[in-house]
Amino acid sequence: MKYLRHTLLILMLVASVTLEAKPKVRILATGGTIAGIAGSSTSSIYTAGQVGVQTLLAAVPQIQELAEVSGEQFANMASQDMTDAIWLRLAKRINHLLEEEDYDAVVVTHGTDTMEETAYFLNLTVKSDKPVILVGSMRPSNSLSADGPINLYNAVAAAISPDSRGMGVLCCMNDKLLDAKTVIKTHTIDSDTFEGGPSGIIGYVHNSRAYYLQEPLNKHTEDSEFDISDLDELPKVGIVYGYANASPLPMQAFVDAGFDGIVLAGVGDGNFHKDVFEVAVKAQQKGIQIVRSSRCPTGPTCLDGEVDDARYHFVASLDLNPQKARILLMLALTRTRDWQQIQQYFKEY
Ligand code: SIN
């Protein structure tokens, strides 16, 4: 009898330790196609950001075996409507959950259209080495073969992996793990739309486990010097697209509207049309920072290459595409107006 009682006690202890040992993961739902509803299971006509976080969780009961997963409806929108103000709230919320509420990881469900931008913003503003993983889907939640449930399952599997600590903010899509700096959406409708650019994916998820192939090279999260904890808004930065016969009007409009910085999605190696260049030189002289980036999907925008950046005090975006260059420029402008310091940030982040 005494032996039985001891055995029972040990079993109960083991059971409770096993239960306690489950990592705590918070899902912050923001909308997107993963929460979208189509007219029918075979239709591609749908509205993003329709179903709530509890419905997303109910579609993947298996994630509760991986971790103690709880959901929070942070927003429910199509990600083309993302704003700087929402990013600030999101970064603060994640910092709070990881620092004050003792969560082990955060997974953000998000539309795929601007997922790479949100990931990069969080990569520079979350102050923790705990995993933060963005996930979405290309097919709405009620589609035949919806990709949301497996993507969400994989994101939680990656979020609880000790190997994911210190990797910065990641995206998890179609079994791939992609790092915030290099991830790009490459295709408008393909469910395998996310790529890591020339450096490739950072890892993958298979059979509920994350496997890493490389580490991010640039500064992020804990090492980032950008602090948004007291900010309610960000400096205003716009993007101007380059093309043959380009009009200088969009850049002039940003100048007239009092923007703090302008990113050029230039042609080739970040080149301007001559009429746009003239406006850019005058804007820089007025203290509006110009960053040259490229509309080419891959390859760096080189410093002092085809454009004499040192002469005009322009900044070259290097490996950042225009939409991520906008984010780094906004954060850089919260700290300095010095173009050389801003160029240094583009080398480091
Ligand atoms: C969105 O970005 O909200 C819509 C598109 C998607 O999630 O795939």
Side-chain angles (χ1 to χ4, degrees), residues 25 121 190 238 264 274 290 292 302-303 307 327 343:
V25 178
F121 180 77
D190 192 341
L264 175 76
K274 59 183 171 33
I290 304 292
R292 291 187 308 107
C302 303
L303 177 62
V307 178
I327 290 165
Q343 183 66 70

Side-chain angles (χ1 to χ4, degrees), residues 254-269:
F254 281 134
V255 172
D256 295 343
F259 273 52
D260 304 288
I262 302 169
V263 174
L264 175 76
V267 293
D269 192 1

Side-chain angles (χ1 to χ4, degrees), residues 31-34 46 48-49 77-80 110-115 136-139 185 188:
T33 297
I34 192 168
Y46 73 99
M77 62 195 287
S79 77
Q80 68 259 30
H110 198 288
T112 62
D113 287 352
T114 60
M115 182 187 284
S137 76
M138 289 300 284
R139 299 188 193 117
K185 184 175 181 178
T188 49

Side-chain angles (χ1 to χ4, degrees), residues 6 17 79 92 102 105 113 143 147 201 205 267 273 285 337:
H6 267 136
V17 166
S79 77
K92 288 176 193 173
D102 215 23
D113 287 352
S143 275
D147 48 339
I201 63 173
V205 184
V267 293
H273 184 284
Q285 285 163 357
R337 296 263 155 178

Side-chain angles (χ1 to χ4, degrees), residues 37-111:
I37 290 278
S40 82
S41 64
T42 52
S43 168
S44 62
I45 302 168
Y46 73 99
T47 311
Q50 298 298 300
V51 306
V53 65
Q54 296 311 332
T55 308
L56 299 185
L57 293 182
V60 210
Q62 299 88 337
I63 49 177
Q64 299 296 346
E65 289 160 24
L66 298 174
E68 192 189 317
V69 180
S70 59
E72 179 175 327
Q73 197 70 50
F74 184 81
N76 212 353
M77 62 195 287
S79 77
Q80 68 259 30
D81 294 330
M82 185 51 72
T83 64
D84 300 349
I86 297 174
W87 279 342
L88 288 169
R89 276 203 300 117
L90 185 61
K92 288 176 193 173
R93 182 70 186 139
I94 294 172
N95 282 328
H96 178 80
L97 289 168
L98 296 179
E99 278 165 31
E100 317 282 333
E101 292 202 31
D102 215 23
Y103 280 90
D104 297 296
V106 171
V107 169
V108 180
T109 62
H110 198 288

